[in-house]
Amino acid sequence: MPPAPKKRRRTPRQLLRGVRRRTRRAAGRVRRVFWRSLQLRVVTSTMVISIVVVAVLGVFLMQQIVRTTLETRESAAKSEAQADRNAVLGYLNQPAEAAKQPVESGQALQPGGSSPLSQATEALARRAGSASRYSVIIRNEGLSGEFYGTTNIDPVSIPARQRDELFKKEAGEDSTWYTPLYYKGQPDQPVPGMIIGTRLDTWGTRLDSSYEIYHLVPLDKEEKTLASVQQMIILVGAGLVLLLAAISSLVTRQVVTPVRLARQAAERLAAGRLDERLKVRGEDDLARLATSFNEMAANLALKIHQLEELSQVQRQFVSDVSHELRTPLTTVRMAADLLYDAREDFDPMAARSAELMQNQLNRFEAMLADLLEISRYDAGAADLDVDSVDVRDVVLRAVADSEALAERHSTRFDLRLPGEPCMAEMDSRRVERILRNLLFNAIEHGEGRDIVVSVAADRDAVAVAVRDHGVGLKPGEENLVFDRFWRADPSRARTIGGTGLGLAISREDAILHGGWLQAWGSHGEGSQFRLSLPRVAGAVLRGSPLPLVPPEVEMRRTWRGHMTPVLSPAVADGGRDAD
């Protein structure tokens, strides 16, 4: 047993390409689902708008709460700072004899001392309570600039830049700023805080100096409170968005469900189920819509029934007349053939009359054959005599049958046939009739210019294109040309007799083969008819080996689209110099 082939490893570029392809497919599926569901679009729009509104309101509300909280805390801290300042000033202004120990330069003020600053520090510590409320640091500018605090607060919490700003302020003027607070023993765990600094001058007293008093207020509790409020706002906002989405989904469902039922009923009605009706519930707008739909369906069913009866009568009339005309036509044909064969024995006037009668009988027989053929299609009695044939031979036979007519109109055929056989399973008689009709139509409207007949084949299909360079078709006439008795220009005199059923019968023949018969035309550029047939009878036709729009026309339009935006006025006007 030969070894199993190794699986080829994919390169990173191939993997990335595969991921992009799968992502595009997923995005395409999501996009299709989104645009096909009205309820999904309404719910999505409601959620997006709700998220934006809730986010804006949440940010605004949070800002107001933060501002109010900080303003309240700052106002209370300033009131306490003012009271502490007055208390410190009272201790520093004691009479000299009340002081048990003079203040010496460089002495640290700590609770438990007997100097005025020690007493003031002890008093501030008692007023502040725990360190979680606030701490006080006093700096004596005249005693080598040392800091003295009521708790284990670290003086590094006070930024140097703010101290410089405070030094420039007047005595008693406050300065507030927000900064992290550090505690001794915990340098890596700062807490958010607020510092209120003020200057205290004691010039003219026995302590002739200047002091800086800093109140350090920790805001960790406020931060936790604000974080809890923020989480609550987010949860409430998310719940509100989901609630609005649920409400919009419920409301939309009440509207979309009747509309969806109406759509399904309309689809079934379009499929031919004329007895389809909607249930009417209530008396609101949707109920009136259901009532109107039911009335429309009933009237439509009635009209279709009447049209079907009329169409059946018309088809039966055409079929009966066509069959009934064959018997007298056969008798007239026998008599006309005798007269036509003996025309050389008649005088010139009678001989000419015999020839005209023969020609008109041939035309009448062709018209009768078309009527019979279209009546067989209407009755569903048409069938195929399938055989494997070379499409090139069928085209050559159709061209040979059209040569005489082309010579009378000074028209030449330009055949573009492949070098190898193009075999396909088809009814050669019907396909040859299609091609004759297309060639006759091209001769009729080609205005004497060459007619190009192209044949091509691929693995699944064969195609024949008939291209003329006549007046062409107006926009929207590409489908009308296959209607029964339709003419592009009613005022145009016909040079080739017919019933006006040729292209209609050709389309029915193409459909019977499971193929396509399509038309393209542009005013002034002529027209092209393309017949596409599957190579195997009964196969599904998925494409055509020939383009519907002639390549030279497509190339010219592409060239104009690329060149027109960059042409100068002189070139665009055909080479004339622009003034």
Side-chain angles (χ1 to χ4, degrees):
M1 178 181 294
K6 293 184 179 180
K7 188 176 181 180
R8 186 179 178 183
R9 298 183 63 182
R10 302 176 66 184
T11 63
R13 180 176 296 179
Q14 291 174 339
L15 292 174
L16 182 60
R17 202 159 37 233
V19 171
R20 289 178 179 174
R21 186 165 52 251
R22 286 191 290 270
T23 303
R24 284 195 298 268
R25 287 190 196 137
R29 286 194 292 269
V30 171
R31 194 183 304 110
R32 286 193 297 271
V33 172
F34 179 79
W35 288 111
R36 289 180 180 178
S37 176
L38 176 61
Q39 185 176 3
L40 179 60
R41 292 204 304 273
V42 172
V43 173
T44 303
S45 302
T46 303
M47 288 190 65
V48 170
I49 296 174
S50 301
I51 290 174
V52 173
V53 173
V54 170
V56 172
L57 292 178
V59 170
F60 176 76
L61 182 61
M62 193 64 197
Q63 289 178 349
Q64 294 296 323
I65 293 175
V66 171
R67 184 182 298 110
T68 302
T69 302
L70 294 180
E71 287 178 354
T72 302
R73 190 72 177 95
E74 181 179 354
S75 177
K78 284 184 176 181
S79 299
E80 293 174 344
Q82 182 66 29
D84 290 345
R85 177 179 175 279
N86 295 332
V88 172
L89 184 60
Y91 278 99
L92 296 179
N93 288 333
Q94 302 181 70
E97 58 275 9
K100 298 181 180 179
Q101 182 178 347
V103 178
E104 298 179 358
S105 177
Q107 181 180 7
L109 297 180
Q110 297 295 340
S114 57
S115 67
L117 287 178
S118 298
Q119 297 175 12
T121 303
E122 291 178 357
L124 295 184
R126 290 192 298 271
R127 288 174 58 86
S130 63
S132 60
R133 184 181 176 192
Y134 69 90
S135 303
V136 181
I137 291 180
I138 302 176
R139 179 174 180 266
N140 187 345
E141 296 179 359
L143 297 177
S144 67
E146 292 183 341
F147 291 90
Y148 307 94
T150 60
T151 61
N152 61 340
I153 191 72
D154 198 330
V156 299
S157 302
I158 306 173
R161 184 166 57 87
Q162 274 74 18
R163 294 203 309 269
D164 296 340
E165 291 181 1
L166 182 63
F167 181 76
K168 299 176 182 179
K169 292 181 177 293
E170 297 292 335
E173 189 175 355
D174 292 332
S175 179
T176 305
W177 59 88
Y178 295 90
T179 182
L181 303 181
Y182 298 89
Y183 289 88
K184 296 177 181 178
Q186 299 177 347
D188 298 332
Q189 299 179 0
V191 298
M194 175 179 60
I195 300 178
I196 300 177
T198 183
R199 287 185 56 202
L200 179 63
D201 291 338
T202 58
W203 305 109
T205 66
R206 70 179 186 85
L207 296 176
D208 196 8
S209 182
S210 178
Y211 300 90
E212 298 172 6
I213 303 177
Y214 299 96
H215 285 71
L216 295 89
V217 183
L219 299 176
D220 50 349
K221 293 183 179 179
E222 286 76 6
E223 185 182 53
K224 293 179 180 179
T225 302
L226 293 176
S228 300
V229 172
Q230 184 178 8
Q231 293 178 356
M232 184 62 64
I233 291 177
I234 293 175
L235 292 177
V236 172
L240 181 60
V241 170
L242 294 177
L243 180 61
L244 291 175
I247 293 175
S248 65
S249 177
L250 179 61
V251 174
T252 308
R253 185 180 180 85
Q254 294 178 351
V255 178
V256 170
T257 299
V259 175
R260 186 178 294 121
L261 294 176
R263 176 185 60 81
Q264 295 172 355
E267 291 176 351
R268 290 191 289 268
L269 189 66
R273 297 174 56 179
L274 301 179
D275 57 344
E276 186 67 29
R277 298 294 184 272
L278 290 175
K279 294 182 179 179
V280 180
R281 298 176 181 175
E283 299 180 356
D284 55 6
D285 294 336
L286 293 176
R288 289 196 292 271
L289 174 62
T291 302
S292 301
F293 179 87
N294 293 338
E295 293 176 355
M296 179 194 69
N299 294 332
L300 183 62
L302 178 61
K303 294 296 183 182
I304 290 177
H305 181 68
Q306 294 175 351
L307 291 175
E308 286 179 348
E309 290 181 347
L310 179 60
S311 177
Q312 182 63 30
V313 171
Q314 291 176 342
R315 292 174 181 175
Q316 189 64 37
F317 173 77
V318 172
S319 178
D320 292 344
V321 169
S322 301
H323 283 85
E324 292 298 329
L325 287 177
R326 293 189 68 86
T327 300
L329 180 61
T330 303
T331 304
V332 174
R333 164 61 71 181
M334 293 173 59
D337 289 342
L338 291 175
L339 295 174
Y340 184 76
D341 294 338
R343 68 184 184 279
E344 295 180 356
D345 299 333
F346 300 157
D347 59 85
M349 184 66 70
R352 179 58 180 165
S353 298
E355 292 176 355
L356 290 176
M357 183 172 63
Q358 185 75 8
N359 292 334
Q360 294 303 315
L361 280 175
N362 292 334
R363 180 182 176 186
F364 187 70
E365 283 185 338
M367 296 171 61
L368 186 59
D370 288 346
L371 290 173
L372 288 173
E373 187 67 22
I374 204 71
S375 65
R376 277 194 291 269
Y377 277 114
D378 291 338
D383 54 359
L384 293 176
D385 185 10
V386 177
D387 193 11
S388 181
V389 298
D390 189 350
V391 180
R392 298 180 303 172
D393 297 337
V394 179
V395 172
L396 291 175
R397 288 197 298 269
V399 170
D401 293 340
S402 308
E403 283 286 356
L405 182 62
E407 290 178 359
R408 289 200 299 268
H409 287 77
S410 302
T411 301
R412 237 177 13 96
F413 292 116
D414 180 8
L415 301 181
R416 300 177 183 179
L417 308 180
E420 63 250 1
C422 300
M423 306 303 296
E425 297 177 359
M426 62 180 66
D427 188 337
S428 59
R429 179 183 65 85
R430 294 183 182 275
V431 174
E432 189 174 338
R433 180 171 60 189
I434 295 175
L435 296 178
R436 279 199 306 270
N437 286 330
L438 296 182
L439 293 173
F440 289 170
N441 183 74
I443 295 171
E444 171 76 18
H445 300 93
E447 297 185 342
R449 299 186 179 94
D450 291 351
I451 296 175
V452 180
V453 181
S454 304
V455 178
D458 57 18
R459 186 181 61 182
D460 301 321
V462 294
V464 181
V466 178
R467 167 86 160 99
D468 67 73
H469 299 81
V471 294
L473 297 174
K474 297 178 182 178
E477 292 182 348
E478 295 85 358
N479 296 320
L480 296 177
V481 293
F482 299 108
D483 292 345
R484 300 178 184 182
F485 308 108
W486 185 86
R487 294 179 61 187
D489 187 2
S491 63
R492 182 184 177 92
R494 296 185 63 93
T495 59
I496 301 176
T499 60
L501 297 173
L503 291 180
I505 295 174
S506 298
R507 183 179 61 176
E508 296 292 342
D509 284 336
I511 294 174
L512 192 61
H513 281 83
W516 304 333
L517 182 58
Q518 299 164 296
W520 167 88
S522 179
H523 187 68
E525 293 185 340
S527 59
Q528 176 166 292
F529 288 77
R530 183 184 67 180
L531 173 65
S532 305
L533 301 174
R535 302 194 74 162
V536 179
V540 178
L541 186 63
R542 302 187 183 278
S544 178
L546 285 176
L548 181 59
V549 181
E552 66 274 9
V553 176
E554 189 68 29
M555 185 181 303
R556 187 161 56 248
R557 291 178 177 176
T558 304
W559 182 84
R560 288 175 180 173
H562 285 291
M563 295 298 294
T564 300
V566 299
L567 290 178
S568 64
V571 177
D573 291 339
R576 296 192 302 269
D577 294 334
D579 294 335

